[in-house]
Amino acid sequence: MFDFDSTIERQSDKCRKWDHPFVCSRFGAVPKDFIPLWIADMDFTSPPAVIDGFQRIVQHGTFGYTYCFDAFYDAVITFQHERHQVNVQRDWITLTYGTVSTLHYTVQAFCQPGDSVMMNTPVYDPFAMAAQRQNVHVLASPLRVEENRYHLDVELIEDQLKTHRPKLWFFCSPHNPSGRIWRADEIRLVSDLCKRYGVILVVDEVHAEHILDGKFVSCLSSGCAALDNVIVLTSPNKAFNLGGLKTSYSIIPNETLRQRFRQQLEKNSITSPNIFGVWGIILAYQQGLAWLDALNGYLRGNAVYLANAIKTHFPDWKMMTPESSYLAWIDVSADERSATQLTQHFAQQAGVVIEDGSHYVQNGENYLRINFGTQRYWLEHAIDRMLKHY
């Protein structure tokens, strides 16, 4: 029904992932026929229903100012209920301009210079940037690795909360970069600790739609996070490959937190949506779910292929099972070369562009991250090239 195998010419997009000059600026002299498996951008077209809807907008030919109309709220409420079994009220929803910028606004709204923000490392590096750019300290709490899977270090976390009293805890659920899905009891524990020590829980659920192994539990689910002390940030961008639209939204049940958050958005003139962004949410959530389910099946196959290829050809490496997302997190600490050296070597010698984990705030220095959200053709050719130049 949906074709995920056909390769797509993406250089003309001027997308960062495939743009040769841009990639060279990041990874050095990379061959022109490189294969990019780095930034979290899939190589599939968005759902046909989204593309058709955008074409209707383009054909209509007017691109004026819009607002968050009923269909936007209805789409979010219905999607969250049917997909994640949570009941969201309209008043809780606030449209924003991308999750990364929203992390910055959240720090601005609830922190002062010199405060700190907790985050479990390794983690998506904009978490730290959002704090540091506001002169707010990063309180890194390393995750424990047991049987090649991340776990919360509860004793360390509680000690840090007691000692440093952060204003916010940025919690990535599912976890980026490993794809770990947190259980309901783990989320409840995090929420209880936040309540005990006066910390606002900010949960990034951006990777909640690509579930490959297990079941995602939203922090808004009954019995998970305390609704009076949680800010949820999410978007359809990763799920439906709409990242360039820079559209997202927050869900904040508590009115006091919500009003403070919205006041900060107004200070930054975050007041009305991009016309394609708001319609992208509506179209994807209302008409894109069959496509998303089919895509997740394809991604599962890619994850299995990549795991088997690494186990067979790179036995010193250990790939964590990606329970969610399309990003493989691979421990290469047993390799003779460091993750950074491997990244540079593969990019410049093999023309395979992957990332090392050194910029995932802390504790990712021994890892590689490989994006398998692409056609199997590219994965197979990338593995062949890496083997030849290993």
Side-chain angles (χ1 to χ4, degrees), residues 110-126:
F110 297 100
C111 298
Q112 298 294 325
D115 289 340
S116 61
V117 175
M118 163 85 83
M119 56 195 71
N120 305 104
T121 54
V123 74
Y124 186 47
D125 49 317

Side-chain angles (χ1 to χ4, degrees), residues 212-229:
L212 310 182
D213 184 14
K215 180 174 175 55
F216 169 71
V217 179
S218 171
C219 69
L220 298 171
S221 299
S222 176
C224 280
L227 296 186
D228 63 348
N229 190 49

Side-chain angles (χ1 to χ4, degrees), residues 162-203:
K162 282 181 185 177
T163 303
H164 298 282
R165 300 285 174 165
K167 291 295 177 68
L168 306 173
W169 184 343
F170 282 170
F171 189 67
C172 202
S173 177
H175 178 250
N176 178 10
S178 74
R180 165 74 150 86
I181 297 175
W182 302 108
R183 301 188 309 268
D185 63 299
E186 292 171 315
I187 298 170
R188 191 178 308 116
L189 173 64
V190 168
S191 177
D192 289 347
L193 287 170
C194 284
K195 292 280 284 186
R196 187 179 308 162
Y197 294 103
V199 182
I200 300 170
L201 177 58
V202 181
V203 184

Side-chain angles (χ1 to χ4, degrees), residues 344-360:
Q344 293 173 340
H345 176 78
F346 287 135
Q348 297 174 16
Q349 301 301 317
V352 177
V353 180
I354 57 180
E355 292 182 282
D356 67 74
S358 61
H359 61 282
Y360 283 81

